[in-house]
Amino acid sequence: MIKDWNSFLLPYGVAVEEMKVKLRGLRKQYLEYDSESPIEFVTGRVKPVDSILEKMQRRHIDEEHLEEEMQDIAGLRIVVQFVEDIYEVVELIRHREDMTIVEERDYVKYNKASGYRSYHIVIEYNVEMINGPKKILAEIQVRTMSMNFWATIEHSLNYKYQGQVPPDVAKRLERSAEVSFQLDQEMSEIRSEIRETNPRKEHD
Ligand code: 0O2
Ligand code: 0O2
């Protein structure tokens, strides 16, 4: 029985704060070298205890295996402009020495039945605590602004209906996910056409 959730969650909180700074640093670097950044913004959170308990029950995870089996206690989200930027950001993370990718789920190419799209990366991250180093797992979700718009609304509707979204609403959400993805593709096409007619130095 985890009696002291605060101390259990402490390394996750430290990790989320550190990773937010590091990932926001990527945006700063892009803007330093170019006038635009594929990364729009980065958010992060430690999963609230009630959500952890609910997920433990739903996924039959016991406390001894919580650290290995619940990969999103520490969650980071990177919101980018274009679909191609998702893969660029994933490659940036892959080459970092302070984050080790242990699992990847490409829900961009292979969307979920709900219509959900995002690229999920599970990483191992080392946190230096006062009593020594501690390795934790964290989930990074990389998605476009359009995917984020859809997921945020779908998430709140799910919450409102307590997971029991009426079938007609679910169908409309599924269709709107497709429309939203078409918008992403159209934006990418517009950008590449603009770049062809008006090439910038970096893309020559
Ligand atoms: P809710 O509405 O219940 O989800 P900052 O001051 O900007 O440094 P802050 O305010 O601590 O940081 O948090 P941040 O990074 O702006 O964003 C926190 C919110 O982003 C959370 O809201 C989450 O909704 C969302 N979020 C960010 N990353 C993730 C993630 O990886 N997974 C999930 N599920 N959500 C994420 P709240 O506050 O938890 O409220
Ligand atoms: P939160 O913090 O409320 O967002 P599972 O929870 O079993 O479905 P698994 O296998 O642990 O998922 O990991 P997965 O599917 O890679 O990622 C789960 C997280 O992705 C969810 O967190 C959501 O943040 C997001 N997600 C996955 N599917 C959907 C979806 O259909 N709609 C929306 N809006 N988000 C989705 P949690 O655990 O739900 O927690």
Side-chain angles (χ1 to χ4, degrees):
M1 183 74 183
I2 300 177
K3 285 192 212 82
D4 189 355
W5 279 99
N6 279 348
S7 59
F8 175 79
L9 293 176
L10 199 58
Y12 292 93
V14 174
V16 167
E17 290 310 309
E18 284 183 15
M19 286 192 279
K20 273 200 289 191
V21 170
K22 290 180 177 187
L23 297 173
R24 285 172 182 165
L26 295 175
R27 176 176 163 84
K28 279 211 188 89
Q29 291 178 67
Y30 274 112
L31 292 175
E32 187 64 33
Y33 298 115
D34 196 350
S35 58
E36 51 190 63
S37 161
I39 298 175
E40 275 301 302
F41 59 88
V42 176
T43 62
R45 60 99 183 93
V46 175
K47 206 174 184 68
V49 175
D50 54 347
S51 308
I52 297 179
L53 292 170
E54 183 277 318
K55 195 165 180 174
M56 281 170 77
Q57 234 183 357
R58 178 162 46 89
R59 301 277 300 264
H60 309 290
I61 299 172
D62 52 44
E63 278 178 8
E64 295 89 277
H65 300 103
L66 184 57
E67 290 185 21
E68 313 94 75
E69 289 187 21
M70 199 172 298
Q71 302 167 323
D72 67 340
I73 296 177
L76 279 301
R77 188 171 287 159
I78 303 177
V79 178
V80 301
Q81 293 193 348
F82 299 95
V83 178
E84 307 80 71
D85 298 335
I86 295 176
Y87 296 95
E88 186 177 331
V89 168
V90 170
E91 288 317 304
L92 272 181
I93 294 171
R94 198 186 306 288
H95 292 102
R96 290 184 74 100
E97 289 185 354
D98 55 351
M99 299 175 189
T100 310
I101 298 184
V102 293
E103 244 179 84
E104 285 175 72
R105 292 189 274 275
D106 187 348
Y107 299 130
V108 175
K109 282 201 185 82
Y110 310 100
N111 60 284
K112 287 200 163 189
S114 60
Y116 178 78
R117 281 193 161 91
S118 265
Y119 198 105
H120 290 193
I121 308 169
V122 179
I123 58 156
E124 193 175 68
Y125 184 80
N126 189 54
V127 203
E128 293 295 333
M129 302 301 287
I130 48 179
N131 49 1
K134 165 99 187 141
K135 278 196 181 6
I136 60 128
L137 292 179
E139 184 189 73
I140 305 179
Q141 302 176 341
V142 193
R143 48 169 80 153
T144 62
M145 288 187 276
S146 168
M147 292 170 192
N148 193 47
F149 171 58
W150 183 91
T152 306
I153 290 174
E154 196 261 4
H155 191 272
S156 55
L157 283 177
N158 250 310
Y159 187 77
K160 200 168 157 190
Y161 288 109
Q162 294 170 323
Q164 305 292 315
V165 176
D168 61 314
V169 177
K171 196 79 210 148
R172 287 168 76 182
L173 282 168
E174 214 183 300
R175 268 192 245 121
S176 42
E178 276 318 301
V179 174
S180 152
F181 195 54
Q182 280 166 19
L183 177 64
D184 266 333
Q185 288 169 321
E186 179 66 0
M187 290 302 187
S188 291
E189 273 179 39
I190 291 173
R191 177 172 71 164
S192 69
E193 280 171 28
I194 289 175
R195 280 186 172 172
E196 270 166 34
T197 52
N198 186 16
R200 294 148 71 230
K201 261 195 211 123
E202 305 74 10
H203 306 291
D204 280 348

